[in-house]
Amino acid sequence: MFDECKDGLVLAKLINDSVPDTIDERVLNRAGKKIKTLNAFHMTENNNIVIESAKGIGCSVVNIGSGDIIEVREHLILGLIWQVIRRGLLGKIDIKLHPELYRLLEEDETLEQFLRLPPEQILLRWVNYHLKAANWPRRVSNFSTDVKDAENYTVLLAQIAPDHCTRGPLQTRDLHQRAEQVLQNADLLDCRKFLTPSSLVAGNPKLNLAFVANLFNTHPALDPITEEEKLQVDDFDAEGEREARAYDKVIKGSVNWRHVNKLPTNGNEISRFKAVENTNYAIELGKQNRFSLVGVQGADITDGQRTLTLGLVWQLMRKDISETLSALAQRLGKREISDAEMVKWANDMARKGGKSSSIRSFKDSSIGTGVYLLDVLSGMKSSYVDYDLVTPGRTDDDAIF
């Protein structure tokens, strides 16, 4: 199999299968009338296109080059293949494609919080939703030990496709036989992919993830949402254009807008490939400005990875504050604005508003109550704060409020 990958053609087809139209296959070198046999140069060109395209759809390609593919370094090729397949399967777990995912929200969970979950967690949520609907007592928290006995799969298939699948495999004691029966049920739904009875019983997490993702993509079995619920399904910002605007606002002239894919004028959504191109560019701009973004890929932002996205936004905010303070110091004829000067200004503002609160440094624990910050705002403009709504902030809930 790996020898078939060395010229890049098979990998290019795999990428286009996962994310259609990523590669224009007309640019690839092929054996034919013009080229009798592909040489190393032709293969290198093909594999460079493959690697750049894989990066464009969000794969991590830091440790692989065209030479690794030509030299058939199996572990690197296998890693790339898995990433491409994973992107193709998990990229479709999107509320824009499946508005019915709204059904998976838990009590008191906002849509924004739900959309920040990694695709793997959404799939687990989907499986457990159907297990609960089937009145089955078990739940899954992983794609390994919790599914290896095939019981949960048996119930899941019977729940999402009761006209084709039954709970019959639960009566089979031999795990391999039960696994085969489950896969036969999946075959009735045209979903017998990725898993074999042995890999199911072994609890292979990658293959089980692929199996469940394919099952969801073809048979989500979730009730359509109502018109009222559609109003609550807000657009999820994953196109990367806003990050570019933020950079341009904070660091004037830092964005080359020719590198930014805009939303289509016809009102359609931007494709995932173009969205990842945008967020990759946002990561590149961050690195140019010495942000710490080790291991962060544009696809992480597109997929709404909360921690990584907040890390980028926080560094951009810090850069904005730094630029603002530098400009202020320059206007005042100073080299920089010290922490002591900022603390003095804030305390003066609080006193101007008729309040006695003050801090000694930005590490002062009283800042955590929120009252001091409100006093500073009131000193800036009295109409900013309605003190009838202000609590002492002694508890965590009061402080957050």
Side-chain angles (χ1 to χ4, degrees), residues 91-259:
K92 298 172 185 175
I93 302 170
D94 187 332
I95 201 162
K96 294 177 180 178
L97 299 176
H98 295 283
E100 64 273 17
L101 281 170
Y102 183 84
R103 296 272 171 246
L104 303 185
L105 267 69
E106 294 181 342
E107 188 177 356
D108 297 328
E109 182 180 38
T110 66
L111 182 60
E112 181 182 3
Q113 290 171 331
F114 173 75
L115 292 177
R116 298 309 187 209
L117 291 174
E120 294 88 343
Q121 291 298 315
I122 292 178
L123 280 179
L124 289 173
R125 182 82 64 88
W126 174 73
V127 173
N128 287 328
Y129 175 89
H130 283 301
L131 294 181
K132 180 180 180 180
N135 294 316
W136 181 246
R138 292 180 58 185
R139 299 292 181 268
V140 298
S141 60
N142 57 66
F143 292 105
S144 181
T145 55
D146 287 354
V147 295
K148 63 191 298 184
D149 63 5
E151 287 187 356
N152 287 317
Y153 280 160
T154 299
V155 176
L156 174 64
L157 290 168
Q159 179 63 22
I160 66 175
D163 294 339
H164 297 87
C165 306
T166 71
R167 295 192 184 189
L170 293 178
Q171 308 303 318
T172 302
R173 293 187 177 184
D174 183 270
L175 292 182
H176 282 84
Q177 289 182 11
R178 183 191 300 161
E180 172 59 30
Q181 291 170 355
V182 165
L183 294 180
Q184 287 175 4
N185 277 342
D187 196 27
L188 297 174
L189 306 180
D190 293 325
C191 289
R192 184 167 184 163
K193 294 183 178 180
F194 304 108
L195 278 178
T196 63
S198 296
S199 58
L200 197 164
V201 173
N204 186 301
K206 290 182 177 179
L207 297 180
N208 275 294
L209 172 62
F211 174 77
V212 174
N214 181 59
L215 197 59
F216 168 82
N217 289 330
T218 53
H219 298 83
L222 296 171
D223 293 334
I225 61 176
T226 64
E227 289 298 323
E228 182 180 351
E229 289 167 335
K230 283 183 181 178
L231 297 176
Q232 302 179 49
V233 180
D234 301 319
D235 286 336
F236 183 40
D237 176 38
E239 72 276 354
E241 189 178 344
R242 289 185 187 176
E243 285 91 341
R245 289 177 183 170
Y247 273 112
D248 201 48
K249 185 174 180 61
V250 173
I251 311 165
K252 298 294 183 183
S254 62
V255 178
N256 184 342
W257 288 99
R258 289 180 298 177
H259 293 170

Side-chain angles (χ1 to χ4, degrees), residues 23-151:
I23 298 175
D24 183 347
E25 296 190 22
R26 292 174 298 179
V27 305
L28 298 172
N29 297 307
R30 299 174 181 275
K33 292 182 179 179
K34 292 183 178 181
I35 305 173
K36 291 185 178 182
T37 305
L38 294 184
N39 58 31
F41 176 76
H42 296 135
M43 293 181 185
T44 299
E45 281 190 330
N46 285 353
N47 286 316
N48 283 337
I49 292 172
V50 164
I51 291 170
E52 286 304 310
S53 299
K55 181 180 179 182
I57 64 172
C59 299
S60 177
V61 294
V62 176
N63 297 317
I64 186 170
S66 58
D68 297 314
I69 300 174
I70 294 172
E71 294 170 11
V72 193
R73 301 191 181 217
E74 295 184 1
H75 66 289
L76 294 177
I77 296 174
L78 189 61
L80 179 61
I81 289 173
W82 163 244
Q83 286 190 79
V84 172
I85 292 173
R86 181 180 181 277
R87 286 298 179 194
L89 290 170
L90 300 189
K92 298 172 185 175
I93 302 170
D94 187 332
I95 201 162
K96 294 177 180 178
L97 299 176
H98 295 283
E100 64 273 17
L101 281 170
Y102 183 84
R103 296 272 171 246
L104 303 185
L105 267 69
E106 294 181 342
E107 188 177 356
D108 297 328
E109 182 180 38
T110 66
L111 182 60
E112 181 182 3
Q113 290 171 331
F114 173 75
L115 292 177
R116 298 309 187 209
L117 291 174
E120 294 88 343
Q121 291 298 315
I122 292 178
L123 280 179
L124 289 173
R125 182 82 64 88
W126 174 73
V127 173
N128 287 328
Y129 175 89
H130 283 301
L131 294 181
K132 180 180 180 180
N135 294 316
W136 181 246
R138 292 180 58 185
R139 299 292 181 268
V140 298
S141 60
N142 57 66
F143 292 105
S144 181
T145 55
D146 287 354
V147 295
K148 63 191 298 184
D149 63 5
E151 287 187 356

Side-chain angles (χ1 to χ4, degrees), residues 112-113 116-118 300 303-312:
E112 181 182 3
Q113 290 171 331
R116 298 309 187 209
L117 291 174
D300 297 319
D303 290 340
Q305 296 287 344
R306 184 178 181 83
T307 303
L308 300 178
T309 304
L310 286 176
L312 172 61

Side-chain angles (χ1 to χ4, degrees), residues 347 357-373 392-393 399:
N347 288 338
S357 60
S358 64
I359 60 171
R360 293 184 177 181
S361 73
F362 290 119
K363 295 181 180 179
D364 198 310
S365 60
S366 64
I367 295 176
T369 67
V371 174
Y372 174 74
L373 298 176

